[in-house]
Amino acid sequence: MVKAAFLGLGVMGYPMARHLKAKGHDVTVYNRTTAKAETWVAEHGGRFALTPVAAADGQDIVFACVGNDDDLRQVTLGEQGAFKAMRQGAVFVDHTTASAGIARELHAAATAAGFGFLDAPVSGGQAGAENGQLTVMVGGDQATFDIAQPVIMSFAKAARLLGDPGAGQLAKMMNQICIAGVVQGLAEAIHFGKQSGMDIEAVIDVISKGAAQSWQMENRYKTMNAGKFDFGFAVDWMRKDLGIVLDEARANGAKLPLTALVDQFYAEVQAMGGNRWDTSSLLARLER
Protein backbone atom coordinates (compact mmCIF):
# COMPACT_ATOMS: atom_id res chain seq x y z
CA MET A 1 0.00 0.00 0.00
CA VAL A 2 1.24 3.48 -0.83
CA LYS A 3 0.65 7.07 0.19
CA ALA A 4 -1.14 8.66 -2.76
CA ALA A 5 -2.70 11.95 -3.70
CA PHE A 6 -5.33 12.53 -6.37
CA LEU A 7 -5.68 15.98 -7.97
CA GLY A 8 -8.99 16.62 -9.72
CA LEU A 9 -12.31 15.09 -8.65
CA GLY A 10 -14.36 15.39 -11.82
CA VAL A 11 -16.54 12.67 -13.32
CA MET A 12 -13.43 10.55 -13.85
CA GLY A 13 -11.22 11.49 -10.92
CA TYR A 14 -13.86 11.15 -8.22
CA PRO A 15 -14.41 7.39 -8.74
CA MET A 16 -10.76 6.74 -9.62
CA ALA A 17 -9.71 8.14 -6.25
CA ARG A 18 -12.44 6.07 -4.61
CA HIS A 19 -10.98 2.88 -6.07
CA LEU A 20 -7.53 3.82 -4.73
CA LYS A 21 -8.97 4.19 -1.24
CA ALA A 22 -10.98 0.96 -1.55
CA LYS A 23 -7.76 -0.92 -2.39
CA GLY A 24 -6.30 0.19 0.91
CA HIS A 25 -4.07 3.05 -0.18
CA ASP A 26 -3.64 6.12 2.03
CA VAL A 27 -5.33 8.79 -0.11
CA THR A 28 -5.31 12.59 0.01
CA VAL A 29 -7.48 14.43 -2.50
CA TYR A 30 -7.45 17.92 -3.94
CA ASN A 31 -10.09 19.65 -6.03
CA ARG A 32 -10.29 23.24 -7.24
CA THR A 33 -13.72 23.42 -5.58
CA THR A 34 -12.87 22.44 -2.01
CA ALA A 35 -16.45 21.46 -1.16
CA LYS A 36 -16.20 18.54 -3.56
CA ALA A 37 -13.05 17.31 -1.87
CA GLU A 38 -14.77 17.61 1.51
CA THR A 39 -17.68 15.55 0.19
CA TRP A 40 -15.31 12.88 -1.14
CA VAL A 41 -13.61 12.57 2.26
CA ALA A 42 -16.99 12.42 4.04
CA GLU A 43 -17.98 9.52 1.78
CA HIS A 44 -14.71 7.59 1.56
CA GLY A 45 -12.36 8.70 4.32
CA GLY A 46 -8.80 9.85 3.80
CA ARG A 47 -7.89 13.54 3.76
CA PHE A 48 -8.27 16.57 1.55
CA ALA A 49 -5.78 19.36 0.89
CA LEU A 50 -6.44 22.97 0.00
CA THR A 51 -3.69 23.18 -2.63
CA PRO A 52 -1.93 20.76 -5.02
CA VAL A 53 1.40 21.36 -3.27
CA ALA A 54 -0.11 20.42 0.09
CA ALA A 55 -1.72 17.32 -1.39
CA ALA A 56 1.57 16.15 -2.92
CA ASP A 57 3.68 16.69 0.19
CA GLY A 58 5.16 13.39 1.38
CA GLN A 59 3.31 11.19 -1.12
CA ASP A 60 4.72 8.17 -2.93
CA ILE A 61 2.50 8.67 -6.00
CA VAL A 62 0.49 11.69 -7.09
CA PHE A 63 -2.25 11.23 -9.68
CA ALA A 64 -3.93 14.00 -11.65
CA CYS A 65 -6.98 14.11 -13.89
CA VAL A 66 -7.86 17.69 -14.81
CA GLY A 67 -9.29 19.50 -17.82
CA ASN A 68 -6.60 20.57 -20.27
CA ASP A 69 -2.98 21.68 -20.70
CA ASP A 70 -3.51 24.95 -18.83
CA ASP A 71 -5.18 23.22 -15.88
CA LEU A 72 -2.43 20.62 -15.79
CA ARG A 73 0.33 23.23 -15.86
CA GLN A 74 -1.39 25.06 -13.00
CA VAL A 75 -1.60 22.04 -10.69
CA THR A 76 1.98 20.95 -11.43
CA LEU A 77 4.15 24.00 -12.12
CA GLY A 78 1.93 26.78 -10.76
CA GLU A 79 2.57 28.84 -7.65
CA GLN A 80 0.88 26.15 -5.53
CA GLY A 81 1.78 23.33 -7.93
CA ALA A 82 2.40 19.77 -6.83
CA PHE A 83 5.90 19.61 -8.35
CA LYS A 84 7.13 21.93 -5.59
CA ALA A 85 6.48 19.19 -3.02
CA MET A 86 7.32 15.98 -4.92
CA ARG A 87 9.99 14.05 -3.06
CA GLN A 88 12.98 12.33 -4.68
CA GLY A 89 11.96 8.96 -6.10
CA ALA A 90 8.21 9.67 -6.04
CA VAL A 91 6.05 9.35 -9.16
CA PHE A 92 3.56 11.74 -10.74
CA VAL A 93 0.96 10.04 -12.98
CA ASP A 94 -1.09 12.30 -15.23
CA HIS A 95 -4.41 10.89 -16.45
CA THR A 96 -5.49 14.13 -18.14
CA THR A 97 -6.10 13.98 -21.89
CA ALA A 98 -3.63 16.67 -22.90
CA SER A 99 -1.01 17.40 -25.56
CA ALA A 100 2.09 15.31 -26.09
CA GLY A 101 4.07 18.54 -25.77
CA ILE A 102 3.10 19.21 -22.17
CA ALA A 103 3.74 15.57 -21.29
CA ARG A 104 7.33 15.96 -22.51
CA GLU A 105 7.66 19.31 -20.72
CA LEU A 106 6.50 17.88 -17.39
CA HIS A 107 8.61 14.75 -17.78
CA ALA A 108 11.69 16.93 -18.25
CA ALA A 109 10.81 19.03 -15.20
CA ALA A 110 10.23 15.94 -13.07
CA THR A 111 13.46 14.29 -14.18
CA ALA A 112 15.44 17.42 -13.36
CA ALA A 113 13.89 17.43 -9.87
CA GLY A 114 14.58 13.73 -9.25
CA PHE A 115 11.12 12.17 -9.45
CA GLY A 116 9.26 10.16 -12.09
CA PHE A 117 6.53 11.28 -14.47
CA LEU A 118 4.12 9.27 -16.64
CA ASP A 119 1.58 10.60 -19.12
CA ALA A 120 -1.25 8.12 -18.75
CA PRO A 121 -4.53 9.16 -20.37
CA VAL A 122 -7.44 6.76 -20.01
CA SER A 123 -10.23 5.30 -22.12
CA GLY A 124 -13.49 3.80 -20.91
CA GLY A 125 -15.44 6.89 -19.99
CA GLN A 126 -17.33 7.60 -16.79
CA ALA A 127 -18.67 4.03 -16.64
CA GLY A 128 -15.13 2.66 -16.84
CA ALA A 129 -14.03 4.95 -14.04
CA GLU A 130 -17.01 4.04 -11.86
CA ASN A 131 -16.44 0.31 -12.39
CA GLY A 132 -12.64 0.38 -12.14
CA GLN A 133 -12.34 -0.86 -15.72
CA LEU A 134 -10.33 1.85 -17.45
CA THR A 135 -7.72 1.25 -20.13
CA VAL A 136 -4.56 3.30 -19.51
CA MET A 137 -2.14 4.31 -22.27
CA VAL A 138 1.24 5.26 -20.83
CA GLY A 139 4.31 7.19 -21.93
CA GLY A 140 7.51 7.36 -19.89
CA ASP A 141 10.33 5.10 -18.75
CA GLN A 142 10.07 1.46 -17.74
CA ALA A 143 11.37 1.83 -14.19
CA THR A 144 8.80 4.50 -13.35
CA PHE A 145 6.02 2.49 -14.97
CA ASP A 146 6.97 -0.59 -12.96
CA ILE A 147 6.52 1.40 -9.73
CA ALA A 148 3.19 2.93 -10.70
CA GLN A 149 1.49 0.13 -12.65
CA PRO A 150 0.31 -1.97 -9.67
CA VAL A 151 -1.31 1.12 -8.12
CA ILE A 152 -2.86 2.22 -11.44
CA MET A 153 -4.52 -1.19 -11.60
CA SER A 154 -6.66 -0.13 -8.63
CA PHE A 155 -9.00 1.50 -11.17
CA ALA A 156 -7.94 -0.09 -14.47
CA LYS A 157 -8.39 -3.33 -16.35
CA ALA A 158 -5.31 -2.72 -18.50
CA ALA A 159 -2.29 -0.42 -18.43
CA ARG A 160 0.53 -0.58 -20.97
CA LEU A 161 3.72 1.39 -21.48
CA LEU A 162 3.71 2.42 -25.14
CA GLY A 163 6.91 4.44 -25.49
CA ASP A 164 8.77 7.54 -24.45
CA PRO A 165 7.22 10.60 -22.76
CA GLY A 166 4.23 11.76 -24.82
CA ALA A 167 3.46 8.29 -26.18
CA GLY A 168 0.47 7.89 -23.88
CA GLN A 169 -1.06 11.10 -25.18
CA LEU A 170 -0.36 10.13 -28.79
CA ALA A 171 -2.08 6.77 -28.21
CA LYS A 172 -5.10 8.58 -26.73
CA MET A 173 -5.22 10.75 -29.85
CA MET A 174 -5.36 7.59 -31.97
CA ASN A 175 -8.17 6.33 -29.72
CA GLN A 176 -10.19 9.51 -30.29
CA ILE A 177 -9.58 9.38 -34.06
CA CYS A 178 -11.08 5.88 -34.12
CA ILE A 179 -14.05 6.85 -31.97
CA ALA A 180 -14.89 9.89 -34.11
CA GLY A 181 -15.15 7.82 -37.29
CA VAL A 182 -17.06 4.95 -35.69
CA VAL A 183 -19.67 7.19 -34.05
CA GLN A 184 -20.28 9.09 -37.29
CA GLY A 185 -20.69 5.82 -39.19
CA LEU A 186 -23.16 4.48 -36.62
CA ALA A 187 -25.12 7.75 -36.67
CA GLU A 188 -25.37 7.64 -40.46
CA ALA A 189 -26.46 3.98 -40.42
CA ILE A 190 -29.25 4.62 -37.92
CA HIS A 191 -30.35 7.73 -39.81
CA PHE A 192 -30.34 5.82 -43.10
CA GLY A 193 -32.35 2.97 -41.56
CA LYS A 194 -34.96 5.33 -40.14
CA GLN A 195 -35.34 7.08 -43.49
CA SER A 196 -35.84 3.69 -45.12
CA GLY A 197 -38.46 2.55 -42.61
CA MET A 198 -36.31 -0.24 -41.21
CA ASP A 199 -36.69 -1.79 -37.75
CA ILE A 200 -33.50 -0.37 -36.25
CA GLU A 201 -33.35 -2.78 -33.30
CA ALA A 202 -33.80 -5.80 -35.55
CA VAL A 203 -31.15 -4.63 -38.00
CA ILE A 204 -28.62 -3.80 -35.29
CA ASP A 205 -29.24 -7.18 -33.68
CA VAL A 206 -28.16 -8.80 -36.93
CA ILE A 207 -25.28 -6.58 -38.06
CA SER A 208 -23.78 -6.40 -34.56
CA LYS A 209 -23.00 -10.10 -34.94
CA GLY A 210 -20.74 -9.35 -37.92
CA ALA A 211 -17.97 -7.05 -39.06
CA ALA A 212 -19.92 -3.86 -38.26
CA GLN A 213 -19.86 -4.58 -34.53
CA SER A 214 -18.27 -1.95 -32.27
CA TRP A 215 -18.31 -0.77 -28.67
CA GLN A 216 -20.35 2.23 -29.79
CA MET A 217 -22.91 0.01 -31.49
CA GLU A 218 -23.20 -2.26 -28.48
CA ASN A 219 -23.45 0.52 -25.89
CA ARG A 220 -25.04 3.48 -27.68
CA TYR A 221 -27.40 2.43 -30.46
CA LYS A 222 -30.47 2.08 -28.21
CA THR A 223 -30.08 5.52 -26.65
CA MET A 224 -29.28 7.03 -30.05
CA ASN A 225 -32.36 5.44 -31.58
CA ALA A 226 -34.42 6.87 -28.70
CA GLY A 227 -32.99 10.35 -29.24
CA LYS A 228 -31.34 10.41 -25.80
CA PHE A 229 -27.86 11.88 -25.60
CA ASP A 230 -27.06 12.30 -21.93
CA PHE A 231 -24.81 9.25 -21.56
CA GLY A 232 -21.06 9.46 -21.25
CA PHE A 233 -18.45 11.73 -22.81
CA ALA A 234 -19.63 15.27 -23.62
CA VAL A 235 -19.29 16.96 -27.01
CA ASP A 236 -17.33 19.86 -25.49
CA TRP A 237 -14.70 17.43 -24.23
CA MET A 238 -14.58 15.54 -27.52
CA ARG A 239 -13.96 18.79 -29.38
CA LYS A 240 -11.17 19.60 -26.94
CA ASP A 241 -9.60 16.20 -27.66
CA LEU A 242 -10.02 16.47 -31.42
CA GLY A 243 -8.46 19.93 -31.31
CA ILE A 244 -5.38 18.35 -29.68
CA VAL A 245 -5.39 15.64 -32.37
CA LEU A 246 -5.59 18.13 -35.24
CA ASP A 247 -2.87 20.33 -33.74
CA GLU A 248 -0.58 17.31 -33.49
CA ALA A 249 -1.42 16.27 -37.05
CA ARG A 250 -0.44 19.72 -38.32
CA ALA A 251 2.88 19.30 -36.52
CA ASN A 252 3.67 15.75 -37.69
CA GLY A 253 2.19 15.97 -41.20
CA ALA A 254 -0.52 13.34 -40.70
CA LYS A 255 -3.55 13.62 -42.99
CA LEU A 256 -6.81 13.30 -41.05
CA PRO A 257 -9.65 14.31 -43.39
CA LEU A 258 -12.34 12.25 -41.63
CA THR A 259 -11.34 13.45 -38.17
CA ALA A 260 -11.39 17.08 -39.32
CA LEU A 261 -14.83 16.59 -40.87
CA VAL A 262 -16.29 14.96 -37.75
CA ASP A 263 -14.85 17.76 -35.64
CA GLN A 264 -16.83 20.21 -37.82
CA PHE A 265 -19.94 18.08 -37.29
CA TYR A 266 -19.46 18.30 -33.52
CA ALA A 267 -19.16 22.08 -33.88
CA GLU A 268 -22.61 22.00 -35.49
CA VAL A 269 -23.93 19.96 -32.55
CA GLN A 270 -22.57 22.61 -30.20
CA ALA A 271 -24.35 25.28 -32.25
CA MET A 272 -27.57 23.28 -31.70
CA GLY A 273 -27.06 23.62 -27.94
CA GLY A 274 -25.59 20.15 -27.54
CA ASN A 275 -22.39 21.08 -25.71
CA ARG A 276 -23.12 18.66 -22.88
CA TRP A 277 -24.75 15.96 -25.00
CA ASP A 278 -22.69 12.82 -25.35
CA THR A 279 -20.65 12.04 -28.45
CA SER A 280 -23.39 9.88 -29.99
CA SER A 281 -25.37 13.10 -30.59
CA LEU A 282 -23.94 13.23 -34.11
CA LEU A 283 -27.26 11.57 -34.96
CA ALA A 284 -29.17 14.65 -33.75
CA ARG A 285 -27.33 16.72 -36.35
CA LEU A 286 -28.55 14.41 -39.12
CA GLU A 287 -32.14 14.51 -37.86
CA ARG A 288 -32.53 18.29 -37.59
Side-chain angles (χ1 to χ4, degrees), residues 74-137:
Q74 184 65 33
V75 300
T76 54
L77 303 176
E79 186 176 340
Q80 296 292 321
F83 277 22
K84 286 179 166 52
M86 296 291 292
R87 65 170 181 78
Q88 294 266 325
V91 176
F92 192 99
V93 182
D94 176 38
H95 294 301
T96 308
T97 295
S99 69
I102 195 169
R104 298 180 186 115
E105 174 188 339
L106 295 180
H107 181 272
T111 300
F115 62 91
F117 178 88
L118 300 172
D119 54 290
V122 301
S123 182
Q126 184 176 352
E130 293 284 356
N131 297 322
Q133 293 291 299
L134 293 169
T135 297
V136 188
M137 300 150 273

Side-chain angles (χ1 to χ4, degrees), residues 4-277:
F6 206 105
L7 314 179
L9 299 175
V11 295
M12 301 294 286
Y14 202 99
M16 291 165 76
R18 168 172 56 81
H19 284 293
L20 281 174
K21 188 70 173 65
K23 293 295 184 180
H25 300 297
D26 182 359
V27 180
T28 300
V29 296
Y30 162 79
N31 194 67
R32 186 163 49 190
T33 305
T34 303
K36 198 165 190 179
E38 292 175 324
T39 299
W40 189 95
V41 170
E43 291 177 354
H44 306 299
R47 292 170 296 281
F48 71 90
L50 295 176
T51 63
V53 68
D57 188 27
Q59 307 296 346
D60 301 312
I61 301 182
V62 178
F63 297 90
C65 190
V66 294
N68 53 38
D69 283 25
D70 291 340
D71 298 328
L72 181 57
R73 193 173 279 109
Q74 184 65 33
V75 300
T76 54
L77 303 176
E79 186 176 340
Q80 296 292 321
F83 277 22
K84 286 179 166 52
M86 296 291 292
R87 65 170 181 78
Q88 294 266 325
V91 176
F92 192 99
V93 182
D94 176 38
H95 294 301
T96 308
T97 295
S99 69
I102 195 169
R104 298 180 186 115
E105 174 188 339
L106 295 180
H107 181 272
T111 300
F115 62 91
F117 178 88
L118 300 172
D119 54 290
V122 301
S123 182
Q126 184 176 352
E130 293 284 356
N131 297 322
Q133 293 291 299
L134 293 169
T135 297
V136 188
M137 300 150 273
V138 186
D141 60 84
Q142 187 69 54
T144 303
F145 178 74
D146 289 343
I147 294 169
Q149 192 263 352
V151 187
I152 291 172
M153 295 307 292
S154 299
F155 46 75
K157 64 178 179 181
R160 181 167 179 174
L161 182 66
L162 297 170
D164 293 334
Q169 297 296 350
L170 293 171
K172 180 61 183 285
M173 293 177 209
M174 294 170 65
N175 185 80
Q176 302 306 75
I177 291 167
C178 291
I179 289 172
V182 170
V183 175
Q184 178 62 20
L186 179 58
E188 291 186 14
I190 293 173
H191 175 62
F192 177 87
K194 286 183 172 182
Q195 292 294 107
S196 301
M198 297 294 289
D199 181 334
I200 301 300
E201 292 214 10
V203 174
I204 296 293
D205 182 63
V206 173
I207 68 174
S208 65
K209 306 294 195 297
Q213 194 277 337
S214 68
W215 185 97
Q216 298 293 336
M217 181 177 288
E218 182 177 340
N219 290 276
R220 289 288 177 265
Y221 94 86
K222 287 187 178 180
T223 53
M224 290 171 74
N225 192 38
K228 298 178 180 178
F229 305 113
D230 54 351
F231 301 87
F233 199 58
V235 168
D236 278 352
W237 291 111
M238 186 61 160
R239 286 219 69 208
K240 187 258 310 188
D241 290 2
L242 294 182
I244 293 170
V245 169
L246 295 170
D247 284 346
E248 187 69 29
R250 281 187 282 271
N252 69 20
K255 300 174 180 64
L256 304 178
L258 178 59
T259 303
L261 186 60
V262 176
D263 181 56
Q264 293 176 32
F265 293 162
Y266 278 124
E268 292 179 28
V269 174
Q270 288 176 318
M272 295 167 59
N275 302 67
R276 303 303 301 172
W277 294 348

